[in-house]
């Protein structure tokens, strides 16, 4: 069945804004500008300020939800389901996970390339699968276990590519690249916990996805904004890449933005793109399928990698292609994309039918969880 123009628009919007989200965050990291009180030029390394901007983008989804709801209620026959009322504090634990995971990933993005950052985020299916078995009582099919093992192999290949390319990388030391890659994988454990919490406590309440994303964005924005105050006084030595060597120097970030307004453009690109990406992702799931959403999310990695090469942000390495293909294969196996091919072959119908019954739950866990975390 051919896609409608609206479906094509949604797919293009998701692919474009998802790519802009990572590329704009990396672009901000590449700027250098003077800071406050006449401090010389230094890199714009403010991951927690960037995370606050990301949560502001998620918070805007709450505004979009109420605009759409008001517009729908003005119709003679409203069609939009606002979902049932709920206790907003249900979103606090997932929001805390989102806040911690996102902040760690922005720290890691300062240390490694944008393409590796995006590829290594595929590790989330490993931890989501394991945690869903342990805490949700879900039974994974053999193809899903194989997908997890293939994903682990893909992560090893991508890590090896970073290790080999790190020796000739002028922008990042080898130790920074390895640390950044490990931080990204560690952050996926937190993301997986967030997704399991959402599955167990939140989505059973039939909350509208835009309202869910916006509520988590509200908690993340408020809490992390307040945490910027104590971070301004916590000295962490050489771990911080700002003149005062504190955990986060928000004033230094604003001074750098004042000296180089292009940084603000990069931050706005990150904030606006995450809002549109969440809206497009939810709409793609609704209008097309969660599987299509997963495929588009994988294509986003290709766009980010090609753009990074074109802009000269990183050098070509063949192992990255191999690693991406292996990761793509692992994700496809985990999400059951092999089933249409297997359906044409003689196989055990009972096992295939069992896998199909569990597919919607799995897609919802992976698909809806991504919307609340993407950056």
């Amino acid at each position: 069945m051919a896609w409608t123009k609206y479906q094509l628009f949604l797919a293009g919007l998701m692919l474009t804004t998802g790519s802009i989200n990572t590329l704009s965050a990396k672009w901000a990291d590449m700027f250098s500008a003077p800071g406050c009180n006449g401090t010389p030029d230094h890199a714009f390394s403010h991951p927690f300020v960037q995370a606050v901007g990301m949560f502001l983008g998620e918070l805007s989804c709450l505004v979009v939800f109420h605009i759409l709801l008001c517009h729908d209620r003005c119709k003679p026959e409203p069609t939009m389901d606002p979902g049932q009322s709920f206790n907003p504090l249900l979103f606090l634990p997932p929001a805390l996970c989102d806040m911690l995971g996102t902040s760690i990933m922005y720290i890691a993005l300062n240390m490694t390339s944008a393409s590796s950052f995006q590829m290594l985020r595929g590790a989330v299916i490993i931890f989501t699968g394991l945690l869903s078995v342990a805490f949700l009582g879900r039974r994974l099919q053999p193809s899903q276990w194989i997908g997890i093992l293939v994903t682990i192999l893909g992560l090893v290949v991508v890590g090896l590519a970073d290790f080999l390319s790190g020796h000739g990388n002028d922008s990042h030391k080898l130790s920074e690249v390895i640390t950044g890659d490990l931080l990204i994988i560690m952050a996926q454990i937190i993301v997986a916990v967030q997704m399991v919490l959402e599955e167990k406590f939140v989505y059973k309440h039939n909350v509208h996805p835009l309202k869910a994303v916006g509520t988590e964005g509200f908690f993340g924005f408020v809490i992390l904004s307040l945490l910027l105050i104590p971070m301004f006084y916590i000295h962490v030595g050489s771990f911080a890449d700002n003149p005062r060597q504190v955990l986060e120097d928000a004033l230094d970030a604003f001074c750098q933005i004042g000296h180089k307004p292009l940084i603000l453009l990069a931050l706005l690109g990150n904030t606006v793109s995450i809002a549109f990406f969440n809206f497009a992702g939810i709409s793609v799931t609704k209008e097309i399928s969660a599987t299509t959403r997963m495929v588009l999310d994988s294509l986003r990695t290709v766009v980010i990698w090609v753009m990074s090469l074109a802009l000269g942000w990183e050098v070509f390495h063949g192992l990255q292609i191999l690693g991406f293909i292996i990761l793509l294969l692992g994700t496809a196996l985990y999400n059951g994309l092999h089933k249409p091919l297997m359906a044409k072959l003689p196989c055990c119908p009972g096992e295939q039918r069992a896998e199909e019954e569990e597919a919607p739950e799995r897609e919802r866990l992976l698909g809806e969880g991504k919307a609340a975390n993407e950056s």
Side-chain angles (χ1 to χ4, degrees):
M1 181 180 176
W3 285 5
T4 64
K5 290 182 179 179
Y6 180 60
Q7 289 174 332
L8 287 171
F9 167 74
L10 289 175
L13 181 66
M14 179 181 171
L15 186 61
T16 303
T17 54
S19 303
I20 290 173
N21 181 249
T22 298
L23 291 170
S24 59
K26 187 62 181 177
W27 186 33
D29 293 340
M30 300 180 73
F31 281 107
S32 292
C36 300
N37 302 319
T39 53
D41 275 21
H42 54 278
F44 184 84
S45 179
H46 298 282
F48 296 100
V49 171
Q50 286 181 287
V52 168
M54 191 277 294
F55 283 117
L56 181 61
E58 287 190 357
L59 175 59
S60 67
C61 289
L62 199 59
V63 179
V64 172
F65 167 76
H66 287 290
I67 291 174
L68 292 175
L69 187 61
C70 290
H71 180 265
D72 184 70
R73 286 177 176 174
C74 292
K75 296 179 181 178
E77 296 182 4
T79 57
M80 182 176 173
D81 180 14
Q84 67 186 80
S85 38
F86 61 96
N87 184 354
L89 291 178
L90 282 173
F91 288 90
L92 183 57
L96 292 174
C97 292
D98 194 4
M99 183 180 69
L100 183 58
T102 299
S103 299
I104 292 174
M105 283 191 281
Y106 276 125
I107 293 171
L109 188 56
N110 271 295
M111 302 178 176
T112 190
S113 64
S115 61
S116 294
F117 169 82
Q118 196 63 39
M119 290 180 193
L120 291 172
R121 290 177 69 174
V124 70
I125 68 170
I126 299 171
F127 306 112
T128 302
L130 296 176
L131 289 174
S132 66
V133 169
F135 296 102
L136 298 179
R138 185 167 286 116
R139 182 175 59 87
L140 298 184
Q141 297 296 321
S143 59
Q144 292 177 282
W145 287 113
I146 295 172
I148 288 175
L149 293 175
V150 171
T151 300
I152 293 173
L153 177 61
L155 294 174
V156 171
V157 174
V158 172
L160 182 61
D162 281 348
F163 178 80
L164 295 176
S165 61
H167 289 287
N169 195 329
D170 296 329
S171 58
H172 297 294
K173 298 177 182 177
L174 178 59
S175 59
E176 285 184 349
V177 172
I178 294 173
T179 303
D181 288 354
L182 291 175
L183 283 174
I184 295 169
I185 294 173
M186 184 176 73
Q188 302 319 301
I189 301 175
I190 301 169
V191 172
V193 172
Q194 173 195 346
M195 293 164 71
V196 170
L197 286 172
E198 289 171 342
E199 175 77 3
K200 191 170 181 67
F201 299 110
V202 176
Y203 290 122
K204 66 180 181 181
H205 291 280
N206 187 30
V207 181
H208 192 282
L210 277 176
K211 196 173 184 179
V213 173
T215 306
E216 285 190 15
F218 169 78
F219 282 119
F221 177 75
V222 172
I223 294 172
L224 194 54
S225 296
L226 292 174
L227 287 177
L228 289 178
I229 299 172
M231 287 180 184
F232 185 80
Y233 300 100
I234 300 174
H235 287 266
V236 292
S238 59
F239 179 77
D241 195 15
N242 56 68
R244 295 179 57 244
Q245 293 190 326
V246 292
L247 190 57
E248 181 59 283
D249 191 342
L251 291 181
D252 181 65
F254 293 134
C255 288
Q256 286 187 291
I257 291 170
H259 286 106
K260 188 159 288 188
L262 271 179
I263 299 176
L264 180 60
L265 179 63
L267 295 179
L268 286 175
N270 187 41
T271 300
V272 174
S273 64
I274 194 63
F276 279 100
F277 176 72
N278 278 307
F279 171 75
I282 291 167
S283 301
V284 165
T285 302
K286 180 182 176 182
E287 297 289 335
I288 311 174
S289 70
T291 302
T292 302
R293 182 177 179 177
M294 188 278 296
V295 172
L296 290 171
D297 200 54
S298 298
L299 289 176
R300 182 163 65 114
T301 304
V302 179
V303 175
I304 292 168
W305 181 62
V306 171
M307 288 300 298
S308 296
L309 290 174
L311 294 170
W313 291 358
E314 54 186 277
V315 295
F316 176 82
H317 203 294
L319 269 181
Q320 271 199 324
I321 298 179
L322 177 61
F324 172 68
I325 292 173
I326 296 174
L327 285 171
L328 193 60
L329 177 61
T331 304
L333 285 170
Y334 186 87
N335 286 278
L337 296 188
H338 62 290
K339 290 176 187 174
L341 296 176
M342 296 296 293
K344 298 178 181 179
L345 301 174
C347 63
C348 177
E351 180 180 347
Q352 184 177 332
R353 191 160 51 246
E355 286 190 350
E356 289 174 352
E357 289 173 355
E358 290 199 9
E361 290 187 32
R362 180 173 65 254
E363 287 177 340
R364 186 157 69 92
L365 177 62
L366 187 62
E368 291 184 343
K370 275 186 178 180
N373 173 71
E374 199 56 63
S375 67

